[in-house]
């Protein structure tokens, strides 16, 4: 399902939009649901009410539709009042298609290999700067994970445990952050506990070097 929100619209128009969404809800090809809290995939706003905060509103959803007065000139991503079900449905349909085309397909082999870095307990991650709004998408789970990573270095297992979110969701978010270049990596020399502390130093050194070289190769760094 895709999430549709409204912002600073008159109550009467909100009721109209609710009715339209319910009208199309029985159609299996209509994936939209009206929600009253972020995150939003699309947002309907009153053009006049958000005129001075439009740059902020644009960051609240991937697509924003402005409701304008009648005969306002047919601007892009604008719907003239009164709201008509067929016009709103057409905009939602085109927005749905654009959203699906912008989302990547399943992971490639290289991406699957890269994901091994995120799921390794030997690698911890910490934010070097706050992620862009386009990555967070006003998603409360993403914001919670980013806040945790801003405070301390965590691996995927620790992030899942502290945030109480699925491990796969945490690993995917870490990969997105790393792709965006906002993460610092802290690689630990994780060693088997059975190694003795003194007599096996050459073996321990070789094991650590092999582990680190493998991780560096996955990150595209030169192995030492």
């Amino acid at each position: 399902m895709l999430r549709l929100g409204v912002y600073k619209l008159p109550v009467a128009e909100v009721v109209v939009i609710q009715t339209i969404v319910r009208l199309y809800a029985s159609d299996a090809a209509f994936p939209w649901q009206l929600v009253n809290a972020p995150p939003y995939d699309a947002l309907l706003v009153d053009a006049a009410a958000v005129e001075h905060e439009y740059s902020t509103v644009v960051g609240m959803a991937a697509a924003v539709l402005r409701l304008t007065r009648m005969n306002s000139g047919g601007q892009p991503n604008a719907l003239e009042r009164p709201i008509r079900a067929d016009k709103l449905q057409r905009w939602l349909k085109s927005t749905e298609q654009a959203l699906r085309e912008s989302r990547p397909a399943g992971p490639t082999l290289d991406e699957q290999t890269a994901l091994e870095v995120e799921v390794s307990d030997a690698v911890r991650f910490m934010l070097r700067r706050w992620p862009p709004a386009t990555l967070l998408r006003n998603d409360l789970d993403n914001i919670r994970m980013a806040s945790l990573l801003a405070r301390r270095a965590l691996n995927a297992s620790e992030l899942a445990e502290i945030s109480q979110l699925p491990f796969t969701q945490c690993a995917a978010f870490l990969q997105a952050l790393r792709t965006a270049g906002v993460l610092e990596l802290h690689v630990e020399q994780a060693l088997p506990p059975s190694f003795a502390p003194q007599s096996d130093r050459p073996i321990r050194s070789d094991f650590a070097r092999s582990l680190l070289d493998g991780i560096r190769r996955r990150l595209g760094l030169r192995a030492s």
Side-chain angles (χ1 to χ4, degrees):
M1 297 297 293
L2 296 174
R3 297 169 62 86
L4 175 65
V6 296
Y7 185 70
K8 291 193 175 180
L9 291 182
V11 174
E13 289 187 333
V14 174
V15 172
V16 171
I17 294 167
Q18 288 175 332
T19 303
I20 293 173
V21 172
R22 288 171 183 165
L23 175 67
Y24 289 103
S26 58
D27 184 352
F30 186 81
W32 293 94
Q33 59 178 336
L34 191 63
V35 297
N36 56 15
Y40 306 117
D41 293 295
L43 192 63
L44 308 182
V45 304
D46 187 310
V50 302
E51 181 178 359
H52 301 297
E53 55 175 318
Y54 188 67
S55 59
T56 301
V57 171
V58 168
M60 295 172 64
V64 176
L65 178 66
R66 295 174 299 116
L67 299 185
T68 62
R69 66 181 186 278
M70 187 182 299
N71 301 322
S72 59
Q75 305 166 23
N77 287 318
L79 182 65
E80 294 181 2
R81 292 177 165 100
I83 301 171
R84 287 180 47 182
D86 57 338
K87 290 185 177 181
L88 178 58
Q89 194 266 353
R90 277 199 300 271
W91 184 84
L92 290 174
K93 188 67 178 178
S94 64
T95 299
E96 173 199 349
Q97 183 176 354
L99 288 172
R100 298 200 187 284
E101 289 176 353
S102 67
R103 291 177 180 173
T108 64
L109 183 59
D110 288 342
E111 289 170 337
Q112 291 175 355
T113 302
L115 187 58
E116 294 177 12
V117 177
E118 277 76 20
V119 302
S120 171
D121 287 339
V123 184
R124 284 185 167 84
F125 307 88
M126 188 171 185
L127 284 179
R128 59 161 60 101
R129 63 178 180 274
W130 191 250
T134 52
L135 195 154
L136 294 177
R137 297 181 64 247
N138 275 325
D139 186 293
L140 297 181
D141 288 347
N142 290 345
I143 294 171
R144 187 193 320 165
M145 288 188 285
S147 298
L148 291 170
L149 292 167
R151 298 171 190 160
R152 56 180 288 199
L154 300 168
N155 60 37
S157 297
E158 293 166 338
L159 181 59
E161 181 178 357
I162 296 172
S163 67
Q164 297 297 300
L165 294 171
F167 177 85
T168 53
Q169 181 179 349
C170 293
F173 184 65
L174 287 171
Q175 186 179 38
L177 291 175
R178 189 161 65 86
T179 301
V182 299
L183 281 184
E184 292 179 355
L185 273 64
H186 301 263
V187 181
E188 297 184 356
Q189 297 184 9
L191 302 173
S194 58
F195 281 2
Q198 298 295 332
S199 61
D200 61 346
R201 283 181 180 174
I203 299 175
R204 177 179 299 207
S205 176
D206 290 341
F207 179 88
R209 186 178 299 109
S210 175
L211 174 64
L212 291 171
D213 287 349
I215 293 175
R216 289 190 181 106
R217 282 195 299 272
R218 293 169 185 164
L219 294 176
L221 303 175
R222 181 181 300 174
S224 60

